[in-house]
Amino acid sequence: MIRLLWRDITLAFRSGGGFGLGLGFFLILVTLVPFGVGPDGEMLSAIAPGILWVGALLACLLSLDRIFALDFEDGSLDLLATAPIPLEGVVAMKALAHWITTGLPLVLAAPALGFLLHLDSAAYRWLIVTLLIGTPALSFIGSFGAALTVGLKRGGLLMSLLVLPLYIPTLIFGAEVVRRGAGGFLVATPLAMQAGITLGAIALLPFAAAAAIRVALR
Amino acid sequence: MSLISVKDLTVSRGGMPVLEGLSFAVSAGEVLVLRGPNGSGKTTLLRTLAGLQPPYAGEVMAEPESVAYAAHADGLKATLSVAENLGFWAGVYGGHDIEPALLHFNLDALRERPAGNLSAGQKRRLGLARLMVTGRPIWVLDEPTVSLDAASVALFASAVKAHVAAGGAAVIATHIDLGFEETVFDVTPFKARMDVVRDDFDEAFL
């Protein structure tokens, strides 16, 4: 399974692997927002938590359909399904690889982009903490959506429609933690809710995704 | 003792049965060659044998995790080198040495070449070399000789021979004569009858 994780990470960094895709999108979105809403610092710092979280979420969504579609097209998914690794393990490893190549760079880039949006100084650590806790849920929920649409040509739109509603709780709690952190309020409740969503997604969705892939491979 | 056997097997594609009433057994040291025109259900049968889809009826008897499957797509990553591609599958299947497979299929000189730059025949050879690193006793192969030249077909045939001589078995769907001791099994007479009304239409609907 470590081999699979390592292969997926290697592929993402090789040419055409899509490593920079999510990060680039996140960067573009966040730098464009001040141009769109104007340079008023107070307004920017009020919307910064929401913008950063929405940007991270959309950046994650952008590379989701690659998780299984490429392996389905070149036959790797058939071979992985007959390999000694359980399909649930394949899904979990591919979701983890997606997080490492998409979610983790977003976490690391977010503080710099928060600076561009006048993010309140007290909110930085909560931004990092919530992204670190929340983005794995985006990858695992996304792997489920990608698995459901794996056999479909141009399944990206359908996948976005399936996945976006499932992303909303993570978005609400994530942005809420950052907002409360900026205002100096207690963050324990939304943080615990978000961690619960992430742990639940990691624990349950690989099984659902593996079942969806088995149906798609028939 | 047969390595893989099927009894009264019916296989379906898209919910519609394509072959029915299949029964055969393949023992260690045997090669079963499936024949039949295009669309007769050979691929569906092979996917069922490999466990990628459940039988419509009847059963497939084989040890769990004993089948290595190879189909039209070789599962290669264009940006990984030949050695990396093969090394990945070797790692997945428990770390078999890739050198014998590279040497056997004449891929030794190409080991650092990205798989995306290989010719169709070279890709196929790499896909077949994967079988040698799986260490699994039953090879289930779907038209393995597509895009291979005569010399490469001979390489492939000798790999299959060596595999069955070592106690393995193979089920191969092919249209050409591979030139070794083989049992030919024609699937044409087992074509599923379409006039039988079947009661489970839910899968066809899906």
Side-chain angles (χ1 to χ4, degrees), chain A residues 18-60:
Chain A
F19 164 68
L21 189 68
L23 195 57
F25 178 81
F26 190 43
L27 192 76
I28 291 167
L29 182 83
V30 173
T31 46
L32 284 182
V33 165
F35 293 111
V37 301
D40 176 21
E42 228 166 86
M43 166 139 74
L44 279 178
S45 86
I47 61 170
I51 295 291
L52 286 164
W53 252 100
V54 169
L57 189 148
L58 292 176
C60 251

Side-chain angles (χ1 to χ4, degrees), chain A residues 3-4 7 10-11 14-16 70-71 73-85 214 216-218, chain B residues 47 50 52-54 65 67 69-70 73-77 79-81 84 87-89 91-93 130 136 203:
Chain A
R3 295 295 295 244
L4 180 63
R7 180 192 75 147
T10 313
L11 283 172
R14 294 273 166 96
S15 63
L70 297 180
D71 276 347
E73 280 162 20
D74 68 16
S76 300
L77 207 53
D78 279 349
L79 304 178
L80 285 171
T82 55
I85 311 174
R214 285 201 186 93
L217 288 181
R218 274 184 191 177
Chain B
R47 289 181 73 85
L52 284 168
Q53 59 180 66
E65 309 219 322
V67 173
Y69 174 70
D74 293 312
L76 303 176
K77 292 296 175 188
T79 50
L80 295 183
S81 73
E84 282 173 325
F88 164 69
W89 290 112
V92 165
Y93 282 94
R130 185 186 58 83
R136 290 199 164 170
E203 253 209 307

Side-chain angles (χ1 to χ4, degrees), chain B residues 113-137:
Chain B
R113 182 89 64 92
N117 294 352
L118 298 178
S119 77
Q122 287 166 338
K123 278 182 190 157
R124 196 84 264 243
R125 262 150 58 197
L126 180 53
L128 295 171
R130 185 186 58 83
L131 294 166
M132 293 179 72
V133 301
T134 60
R136 290 199 164 170

Side-chain angles (χ1 to χ4, degrees), chain A residues 17 23 38 43 48 53 73 78 90 100 109 111 113 122 132 142 153 171-172 186 195 204:
Chain A
L23 195 57
M43 166 139 74
W53 252 100
E73 280 162 20
D78 279 349
V90 171
I100 290 173
L113 296 173
L132 206 55
K153 295 264 181 273
L171 171 67
I172 291 174
L186 286 176
L204 299 176

Side-chain angles (χ1 to χ4, degrees), chain A residues 6-161:
Chain A
W6 190 241
R7 180 192 75 147
D8 270 27
I9 293 172
T10 313
L11 283 172
F13 280 97
R14 294 273 166 96
S15 63
F19 164 68
L21 189 68
L23 195 57
F25 178 81
F26 190 43
L27 192 76
I28 291 167
L29 182 83
V30 173
T31 46
L32 284 182
V33 165
F35 293 111
V37 301
D40 176 21
E42 228 166 86
M43 166 139 74
L44 279 178
S45 86
I47 61 170
I51 295 291
L52 286 164
W53 252 100
V54 169
L57 189 148
L58 292 176
C60 251
L61 193 65
L62 201 58
S63 50
L64 278 185
D65 62 340
R66 304 177 68 92
I67 297 185
F68 298 115
L70 297 180
D71 276 347
F72 181 75
E73 280 162 20
D74 68 16
S76 300
L77 207 53
D78 279 349
L79 304 178
L80 285 171
T82 55
I85 311 174
L87 204 49
E88 290 78 6
V90 171
V91 172
M93 283 302 122
K94 292 187 81 68
L96 183 60
H98 178 264
W99 179 71
I100 290 173
T101 55
T102 308
L104 197 55
L106 296 182
V107 177
L108 299 176
L113 296 173
F115 183 71
L116 289 179
L117 293 177
H118 283 266
L119 187 67
D120 195 279
S121 59
Y124 277 96
R125 63 188 160 128
W126 296 118
L127 177 68
I128 296 173
V129 167
T130 53
L131 282 176
L132 206 55
I133 292 176
T135 46
L138 301 184
S139 288
F140 276 82
I141 293 171
S143 71
F144 173 56
L148 280 176
T149 54
V150 71
L152 307 175
K153 295 264 181 273
R154 304 269 174 272
L157 174 67
L158 181 60
M159 189 198 63
S160 307
L161 289 174

Side-chain angles (χ1 to χ4, degrees), chain A residues 178-200:
Chain A
V178 182
R179 210 173 298 121
R180 287 192 184 193
F185 301 113
L186 286 176
V187 297
T189 309
L191 203 56
M193 292 297 284
Q194 195 187 30
I197 292 166
T198 300
L199 293 174

